[in-house]
Amino acid sequence: MKLFVIHRFKDRKKAKKSLAKFAKDLSLEISPIFLDSSGKDELWKYDAASAIEQAEAVVVFNKKTCEESENAKWEIEKSKEAKKEIIDISSNNENVDALVKLQSLYELKDEFESCFSPDSKDTFELYKLMIESSESLIQRRQKTNAFFITVIGSLLAIAGLLAKTGSLNSDSIGILYGFSVVGLLLCNSWRNLIDNYGKLNKSKFDVILRLEKDLGAQIFSAEWVSLGKGLRPTKYKSFTSTEKNVPLFFGLLIVLLTLLAAIWQIFS
């Protein structure tokens, strides 16, 4: 999340420290933008305007001291013109409101809610569409897993066959190392895909659960509550976190076999 930070230079260290603490406490990925402004050089205004446009929101650190600077006041006005959300942060208080606003912006809650209309007559049809889309995603996910298991398993089988038939020697062992590199790259891609499938499926269920609020019964919401809303590991553990272990184990197996091959090459 890109944040343009309006501040006085003397407060820069405090601003960086505060934002780093907020990011850690709220588990946010924040990329603050700090610019040096100079009254003698107007070029910074171009950079500031560009940075403000690129930022998702603007942070004003210690607003009272910023209002003492013409440059800072210009940046604040420019942020208002760009219709950016402005978050006031002070070094002298807990900034509870700022934290709430920052987290809401990070999770795009307001924008998410604006996508729904309480008077929509198509809610149930959209609800069914999202369920079908989620089921289709699960099927694609299963096919992806099957593909990677087949390919990586085939590489291991070919490597094993070459070793069993004595086709590998100290001169041709490089083939096995090549298989290992390809296998590890596949494991990494597989793990990333599982992670992205999990995120995509979660986003679909966020929409489904939101649509349920406009329906008579909230069956998926009830199921999620029954499972402890993901907060009770004894009741429910994410499929994604479990699935991601499979390519990890395959990768460890490939590394182990490669090490054994290297040891064999050294002592043969």
Side-chain angles (χ1 to χ4, degrees), residues 216-268:
Q218 300 180 36
I219 53 176
F220 284 108
S221 298
E223 181 183 44
W224 186 232
V225 171
S226 177
L227 291 171
K229 300 175 71 173
L231 302 174
R232 306 288 184 268
T234 54
K235 286 189 173 184
Y236 172 80
K237 190 173 182 180
S238 168
F239 288 144
T240 300
S241 61
T242 303
E243 275 186 72
K244 285 170 68 175
N245 289 331
V246 179
L248 177 62
F249 292 149
F250 267 110
L252 291 174
L253 177 61
I254 291 171
V255 170
L256 177 61
L257 293 175
T258 304
L259 288 174
L260 291 174
I263 293 171
W264 173 80
Q265 182 184 20
I266 293 171
F267 292 100
S268 63

Side-chain angles (χ1 to χ4, degrees), residues 8-261:
R8 300 298 299 275
F9 184 77
K10 62 182 181 181
D11 292 330
R12 176 167 293 189
K13 288 184 178 179
K14 291 181 181 179
K16 287 184 176 181
K17 187 176 180 180
S18 295
L19 289 173
K21 184 178 184 302
F22 293 164
K24 182 179 179 181
D25 292 344
L26 300 175
S27 299
L28 308 180
E29 293 182 9
I30 295 176
S31 300
I33 303 172
F34 292 89
L35 290 183
D36 290 323
S37 61
S38 171
K40 297 179 181 179
D41 187 357
E42 293 292 310
L43 289 177
W44 70 269
K45 287 188 176 181
Y46 175 81
D47 294 334
S50 177
I52 289 170
E53 285 294 333
Q54 294 176 19
E56 293 182 48
V58 174
V59 169
V60 178
F61 189 80
N62 286 338
K63 187 175 182 180
K64 287 185 178 180
T65 57
C66 285
E67 289 175 344
E68 298 171 0
S69 166
E70 291 299 322
N71 291 343
K73 286 196 291 185
W74 180 89
E75 289 174 331
I76 293 173
E77 288 302 316
K78 201 67 180 177
S79 301
K80 291 178 180 178
E81 289 176 14
K83 297 181 179 179
K84 295 293 181 178
E85 189 76 34
I86 297 177
I87 304 172
D88 293 327
I89 293 178
S90 172
S91 59
N92 299 321
N93 59 49
E94 297 296 325
N95 297 297
V96 176
D97 292 339
L99 287 171
V100 172
K101 186 182 290 188
L102 190 60
Q103 187 166 31
S104 178
L105 284 171
Y106 185 83
E107 296 175 355
L108 304 174
K109 289 182 179 179
D110 293 338
E111 193 170 341
F112 179 78
E113 284 296 325
S114 69
C115 296
F116 300 91
S117 173
D119 300 323
S120 176
K121 297 179 181 179
D122 301 323
T123 300
F124 186 64
E125 292 301 320
L126 293 172
Y127 179 71
K128 291 195 296 182
L129 179 65
M130 286 304 301
I131 291 176
E132 291 172 1
S133 176
S134 178
E135 291 175 347
S136 175
L137 180 67
I138 292 172
Q139 292 175 2
R140 293 206 308 270
R141 184 172 177 168
Q142 291 172 341
K143 289 179 181 178
T144 299
N145 288 339
F147 167 78
F148 278 103
I149 289 173
T150 301
V151 173
I152 296 173
S154 297
L155 286 175
L156 291 173
I158 293 171
L161 182 63
L162 291 174
K164 185 177 181 180
T165 57
S167 301
L168 293 177
N169 52 50
S170 57
D171 295 325
S172 60
I173 195 70
I175 297 174
L176 187 60
Y177 295 149
F179 280 2
S180 298
V181 172
V182 173
L184 290 174
L185 290 174
L186 286 170
C187 287
N188 184 60
S189 297
W190 184 11
R191 188 176 170 85
N192 288 335
L193 279 172
I194 290 174
D195 188 47
N196 286 324
Y197 271 129
K199 291 175 180 177
L200 185 56
N201 196 52
K202 181 185 180 302
S203 69
K204 288 183 180 295
F205 265 92
D206 285 342
V207 175
I208 290 171
L209 297 180
R210 175 58 184 82
L211 287 170
E212 278 192 337
K213 291 182 179 180
D214 298 327
L215 300 175
Q218 300 180 36
I219 53 176
F220 284 108
S221 298
E223 181 183 44
W224 186 232
V225 171
S226 177
L227 291 171
K229 300 175 71 173
L231 302 174
R232 306 288 184 268
T234 54
K235 286 189 173 184
Y236 172 80
K237 190 173 182 180
S238 168
F239 288 144
T240 300
S241 61
T242 303
E243 275 186 72
K244 285 170 68 175
N245 289 331
V246 179
L248 177 62
F249 292 149
F250 267 110
L252 291 174
L253 177 61
I254 291 171
V255 170
L256 177 61
L257 293 175
T258 304
L259 288 174
L260 291 174

